[in-house]
Amino acid sequence: MTVTDEISACRLCAGDFARTATAHEPRPVVWFRPAARVLIAGQAPGARVHASGRPFTDPSGDRLRDWLGLDEADFYDRDRVAIVPMAFCFPGYSAKGADLPPPRRCAETWHGRVMAGLPEVRVTFLVGGYAHRWHLGSGVAKRGVTETVAGWRDHAPRVFPLPHPSWRNTGWLKRNPWFEAELLPAARARLSEVLNDG
C-alpha cells in the first residue's frame, strides 16, 4: 500500500469531525505524485473541496491559480504539481460557523513520509499561516503572516510564503500592493523556470 492509499483510508480524526457543527465523515483529498517539481503547501480543504474531492475547487483556488499564472490543466497535473495541505480533510465548522483549524495530528502523522516521497520538488509555495509555521519553523508565528510574506526574499527562489487566497484577504491585498507588484512576478518567473526546465 502506498502512502497515498494510506492517507486516503485515514480515519484518525473521525471522532473529532463527528463532534463539529458539520458532523461530517473524513474525506482525505490526496493530490501528489513523486515526480512533482512544484509543491503547494496549503492549510486544509474547505467544504467545497470536501464535496468535490479536488483541492482548491473554490474561489480561493481561482485566485491562487491567478497569482501563480497557472491554468487548471497545469495546476491539477499531479506529475508536475503536488498539493499537500496541513490537513488532508475538511476540519469542519465550529458552532458559530467559523472554520476550524487543521488538526495538527494530520501533519504529524503524514507530512514526513509525504515530503520524503517528493524528491523532485524545486519550488514550494506556502499558502497561509499554518503552512508558514510548519515549513519555516515556529519563529514565524511571532512575525505573523504579513511580516513572513514581506520577508519572502529570505526564502526565494526555493520557497515563497503567500497569504491565504481567501476573499477575506482582499483588504490585505489592497493594503500591501508590494505583494502583487514584487513577490508575484518573482514567483511566476521561478515557477515557469521549474516547469519548463527539461
Side-chain angles (χ1 to χ4, degrees):
M1 184 180 281
T2 67
V3 68
T4 56
D5 293 332
E6 290 182 57
I7 295 169
S8 295
C10 181
R11 297 295 179 269
L12 281 174
C13 299
D16 293 341
F17 295 165
R19 290 188 291 274
T20 68
T22 38
H24 62 288
E25 292 284 327
R27 185 185 188 189
V29 178
V30 184
W31 208 269
F32 59 87
R33 291 189 183 129
R37 293 180 174 192
V38 177
L39 172 63
I40 295 173
Q43 300 203 142
R48 291 187 188 186
V49 173
H50 177 74
S52 73
R54 282 167 60 103
F56 288 105
T57 50
D58 54 21
S60 292
D62 294 338
R63 177 176 267 175
L64 179 60
R65 285 184 286 276
D66 181 62
W67 283 354
L68 299 178
L70 280 179
D71 61 22
E72 286 197 19
D74 286 331
F75 186 84
Y76 288 115
D77 183 348
R78 282 179 264 203
D79 288 317
R80 304 181 85 198
V81 178
I83 302 174
V84 181
M86 297 312 303
F88 289 102
C89 291
F90 170 50
Y93 298 134
S94 70
K96 295 182 178 179
D99 292 333
L100 291 170
R104 189 169 177 84
R105 79 163 64 88
C106 187
E108 291 172 344
T109 301
W110 299 114
H111 273 52
R113 289 178 62 195
V114 171
M115 296 305 158
L118 295 171
E120 303 300 323
V121 168
R122 293 171 53 194
V123 62
T124 299
F125 298 98
L126 305 178
V127 181
Y130 291 102
H132 296 173
R133 289 190 289 277
W134 183 271
H135 290 272
L136 297 178
S138 59
V140 302
K142 297 172 188 172
R143 298 171 66 188
V145 169
T146 299
E147 192 175 338
T148 299
V149 177
W152 64 273
R153 291 179 180 85
D154 296 339
H155 311 288
R158 181 96 180 149
V159 175
F160 290 85
L162 307 175
H164 196 279
S166 166
W167 61 269
R168 295 182 184 93
N169 282 335
T170 298
W172 186 94
L173 295 171
K174 290 178 179 176
R175 292 190 303 274
N176 296 281
W178 52 265
F179 173 72
E180 291 186 323
E182 299 171 23
L183 188 158
L184 288 186
R188 288 177 186 141
R190 176 58 177 159
L191 179 60
S192 178
E193 178 183 38
V194 167
L195 290 178
N196 295 317
D197 181 17

